Structure formats: structure tokens, C-alpha cells
Amino acid sequence: MSGPPSDQEAGFDPLGGELPGDKVAALGEQSQLDFDLAFYDAVLRRSPNCLDVLRCQGELLTRKGLHERALVIDRRLVLLLPEEPVVRYNLACSLALNGEPGEAIDELRNALELGYEDLDFLQTDADLDSLRDDPRYQALMRELLSSVGSDLTGDDRGEEAGASF
């Protein structure tokens, strides 16, 4: 009587079917990140609008430095979830990483208007570093902090919020 199949046995393919030995060897040599990217690519070929997989793939592509591919994923997510603030925020990050500051700032504004709330992260997110010296970004941050200050103090002074960027 043999035991349950093991991942160590040649030919296991999580999407079904057997893999030739050389493919199994190649899988063993690739990083977890590369494996995950390939796996999610295969899932997306079968189900191109799977939201959870699109979200994961966008994050992994960005982590790998494949910013153009991540931008394609983030644009698709915005088409599928146009009112989702985190999706808009992620698109802003992808646009910033791809050298599109004007569109990135517009999407950042959209994210904030839709209710994106993690202002501490927004101010330190390295994906947005290319925007920090842009006067449009600085104006958006002043406007945001003024609004937050008004909400905290109950008036329009805004300067009392004490936040910096």
C-alpha cells in the first residue's frame, strides 16, 4: 500500500496534469516569488477577472519590479472595481512607479475622495516617492491635511492638525 502523493514525486502540477522532469527541476530552482507569479499568470489565463488573484498578482509584480505589468493589472482592477479606494490607491502607486506623475496624482485624489484613509502610510509609501517634490502632490497633501485638521478641530484652520509630509 503506497502513501499519499508527495510534492517531491515527479510531475505534480497544481493546475492538473503531469509535468516533464525538466519542468519539475526548473520549478525547484525558481524563487517563491517567480513561482507565485507564474502560478497566478496561469490562473488568470483561465479566469482573467478573478479579483483576489488580480490583487495578489499586482502586488507581486510590483514587488518584483515589473511595474509596467503591474500597471496593466491595476488598470484592470479599476475597471472592475471603480469605486474601491484601495484599488485606486494602488493604481496611483503603479502610475507613479511608471513615471506618470499627473495621472498618479489624479488617481490618488480619486482614492482619497472615495475614502482611502491610511494617511500615515500614504505619507511614507516608497511607491509614491517620485511624487513628493511635485507641487501638485504637495498641494494635494496640504488640502488633505487641512481637511483632516478641520475634521479634528471642527473649523477650517487646518494648520492645527500637526501632521507633516
Side-chain angles (χ1 to χ4, degrees), residues 13 15-16 29 33 40 43 71 88 93 99 106 108 118 153 165:
D13 176 1
L15 295 178
E29 294 174 7
L33 180 58
Y40 288 136
V43 172
L71 179 57
R88 292 285 182 163
C93 290
D106 290 344
L108 194 53
D118 194 346
T153 63
F165 51 93

Side-chain angles (χ1 to χ4, degrees), residues 29-72:
E29 294 174 7
Q30 75 183 160
S31 71
Q32 183 65 48
L33 180 58
D34 289 331
F35 176 85
D36 291 346
L37 286 167
F39 177 77
Y40 288 136
D41 277 344
V43 172
L44 290 172
R45 280 192 296 277
R46 292 179 180 194
S47 183
N49 293 327
C50 183
L51 296 174
D52 290 335
V53 174
L54 284 167
R55 288 176 196 257
C56 289
Q57 189 71 330
E59 178 185 339
L60 294 174
L61 289 165
T62 299
R63 193 177 328 155
K64 178 79 177 183
L66 301 172
H67 302 304
E68 289 178 10
R69 287 183 57 198
L71 179 57
V72 170

Side-chain angles (χ1 to χ4, degrees), residues 121-141:
F121 184 70
L122 183 154
Q123 293 180 1
T124 60
D125 188 349
D127 291 351
L128 300 175
D129 282 351
S130 67
L131 304 178
R132 306 265 188 238
D133 292 331
D134 189 305
R136 298 167 294 183
Y137 174 84
Q138 294 171 355
L140 178 61
M141 291 301 100

